[in-house]
């Protein structure tokens, strides 16, 4: 448990430095700053693959699935890229939530910080539960695979008409707390007429938190298709979540340019779902899983860049 404890302490230190030092003052995150932090988090995640290799080669971590150090590294990187790619869809939803609640850009980072902190706790619980299910009931992997295929189909047919203020979560929060449209600094609650009222920042935080739990229902089974090793699943998932904030500020301003990226996510989810369903009949090499993820993302990005959409400047001219 020492290794697990050290990793959690490292994450807490990163979060403390993020909010307490680098982003102590509320400010608008510019694309350049977001790009730098995205590169920093990605570099940390890739560097951690070296630690994964060391831990497994030196047998310093429990190895319930009996994998080699090289295989552990491949599974870690594949799992990380799956989580990172599925987070792109989360970015789209977060942008809609912030827009719906009219959250000023300079307060968005703070809302995401607390949202990510809650997501770490919930995902840790879901990972433990998911790994335990697979280890105890081997057939559950078929259920996870079928669920991922259903999710891929649902994503393919999605009409993107999502209004956070029509959600059950928003209506439930309004019943629990008086709600104000006033925003004063980064406060989540204000006192109005002697009553404590939730600000739009709190509403956005709760909707983002519960939305992430829904996304985790897809992403956790997806990474469990790659490995059932709890340490690899946990570390790759958490490091991907930590990079979500900076990635949001980097690509949220370019959402229209990534109009075909959803098809990449559909391919990834469908591939992982099929891999789970046929896991006892066909052994898919780790390099192939990694290649499918990278090529799917690259294809979606290139298609978004080179295929003209209905609202491109050429069409408008």
């Amino acid at each position: 448990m020492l290794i697990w404890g050290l990793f959690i302490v490292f994450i807490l230190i990163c979060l403390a430095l993020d909010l307490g030092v680098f982003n102590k003052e509320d400010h608008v995150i510019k694309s350049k700053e977001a790009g730098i932090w995205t590169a920093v988090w990605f570099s940390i995640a890739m560097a951690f693959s070296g630690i994964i290799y060391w831990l497994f080669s030196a047998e310093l971590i429990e190895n319930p699935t009996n994998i080699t150090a090289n295989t552990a590294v491949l599974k870690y990187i594949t799992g990380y890229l799956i989580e990172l790619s599925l987070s792109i869809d989360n970015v789209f939803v977060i942008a809609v939530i912030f827009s719906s609640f009219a959250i000023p850009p300079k307060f968005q980072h703070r809302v995401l910080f607390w949202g990510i902190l809650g997501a770490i706790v919930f995902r840790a619980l879901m990972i433990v539960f998911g790994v335990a299910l697979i280890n105890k009931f081997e057939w559950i992997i078929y259920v996870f695979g079928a669920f991922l295929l259903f999710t891929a189909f649902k994503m393919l047919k999605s009409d993107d008409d999502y209004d956070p203020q029509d959600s059950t979560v928003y209506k439930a929060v309004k019943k629990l707390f008086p709600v104000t449209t006033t925003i004063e600094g980064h406060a989540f609650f204000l006192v109005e007429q002697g009553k404590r009222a939730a600000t739009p920042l709190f509403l956005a935080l709760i909707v983002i938190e519960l939305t992430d739990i829904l996304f985790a229902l897809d992403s956790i089974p997806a990474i469990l298709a790659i490995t059932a090793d709890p340490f690899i699943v946990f570390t790759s998932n958490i490091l991907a979540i930590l990079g979500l904030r900076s990635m949001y500020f980097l690509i949220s301003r370019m959402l229209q340019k990534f109009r075909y990226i959803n098809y990449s996510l559909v391919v990834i989810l469908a591939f992982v779902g099929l891999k789970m369903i046929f896991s006892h009949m066909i052994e898919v090499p780790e390099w192939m899983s990694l290649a499918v993820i990278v090529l799917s993302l690259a294809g979606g990005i290139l298609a978004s860049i080179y295929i003209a959409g209905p609202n491109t400047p050429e069409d408008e001219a």
Side-chain angles (χ1 to χ4, degrees):
M1 295 303 294
L2 176 63
I3 303 298
W4 284 79
L6 289 173
F7 177 76
I8 292 170
V9 168
F10 168 71
I11 296 302
L12 293 176
I13 291 172
C14 288
L15 289 170
L17 288 173
D18 186 335
L19 195 63
V21 178
F22 299 112
N23 293 286
K24 190 174 182 179
E25 301 296 329
D26 295 318
H27 65 286
V28 178
I29 308 294
K30 302 290 186 182
S31 295
K32 182 180 178 182
E33 181 183 354
I36 292 172
W37 277 108
T38 298
V40 167
W41 286 118
F42 183 78
S43 299
I44 289 173
M46 290 298 100
F48 194 78
S49 63
I51 295 178
I52 291 288
Y53 181 86
W54 172 61
L55 290 174
F56 278 83
S57 61
E59 299 182 353
L60 296 174
I61 190 78
E62 189 178 358
N63 188 1
T65 54
N66 296 315
I67 54 177
T68 65
N70 287 328
T71 302
V73 170
L74 269 177
K75 286 180 178 292
Y76 164 78
I77 293 175
T78 305
Y80 172 77
L81 290 179
I82 281 182
E83 294 302 312
L84 202 62
S85 59
L86 293 179
S87 293
I88 294 174
D89 202 41
N90 211 345
V91 168
F92 285 74
V93 175
I94 290 172
V96 173
I97 293 170
F98 280 150
S99 175
S100 177
F101 291 111
I103 305 299
K106 71 176 183 176
F107 299 134
Q108 291 179 4
H109 180 276
R110 187 170 293 268
V111 173
L112 281 180
F113 173 87
W114 293 108
I116 295 300
L117 192 60
I120 289 174
V121 175
F122 284 119
R123 291 205 180 200
L125 294 173
M126 294 178 74
I127 288 168
V128 171
F129 182 67
V131 170
L133 273 179
I134 284 183
N135 288 334
K136 190 167 181 64
F137 305 106
E138 202 169 310
W139 53 265
I140 203 73
I141 196 168
Y142 300 117
V143 177
F144 283 164
F147 179 74
L148 289 177
L149 287 177
F150 172 73
T151 304
F153 176 76
K154 193 169 64 173
M155 187 179 290
L156 186 64
K157 297 294 184 180
S158 175
D159 55 7
D160 297 324
D161 291 334
Y162 173 64
D163 184 358
Q165 298 195 34
D166 285 337
S167 66
T168 305
V169 175
Y170 174 73
K171 293 172 182 175
V173 172
K174 287 191 71 174
K175 290 179 180 178
L176 292 173
F177 302 100
V179 173
T180 177
T181 56
T182 305
I183 294 178
E184 289 185 11
H186 55 246
F188 289 115
F189 289 91
L190 295 176
V191 176
E192 286 188 346
Q193 299 177 349
K195 292 184 178 180
R196 201 161 179 249
T199 68
L201 271 68
F202 180 76
L203 295 172
L205 172 63
I206 296 300
V207 175
I208 287 173
E209 198 72 74
L210 294 179
T211 300
D212 182 78
I213 293 175
L214 294 177
F215 276 105
L217 293 176
D218 303 334
S219 64
I220 300 300
I223 195 171
L224 289 174
I226 303 301
T227 178
D229 184 281
F231 188 72
I232 293 177
V233 173
F234 182 70
T235 53
S236 60
N237 201 286
I238 299 307
L239 287 172
I241 291 175
L242 287 178
L244 176 60
R245 289 161 302 159
S246 53
M247 189 170 72
Y248 166 78
F249 291 107
L250 180 64
I251 71 174
S252 61
R253 300 177 180 94
M254 303 183 291
L255 291 181
Q256 295 304 316
K257 293 183 179 179
F258 290 98
R259 58 191 174 276
Y260 293 115
I261 201 72
N262 263 19
Y263 294 105
S264 299
L265 305 184
V266 168
V267 171
I268 291 171
L269 284 174
F271 169 76
V272 173
L274 290 171
K275 182 180 177 181
M276 281 186 132
I277 290 173
F278 295 104
S279 59
H280 291 97
M281 291 174 273
I282 303 172
E283 185 175 349
V284 180
E286 299 306 323
W287 64 265
M288 184 177 292
S289 298
L290 191 58
V292 169
I293 295 166
V294 172
L295 290 175
S296 298
L297 286 174
I301 292 170
L302 290 174
S304 299
I305 293 172
Y306 292 107
I307 298 177
N311 296 316
T312 56
E314 290 81 4
D315 293 334
E316 292 171 1

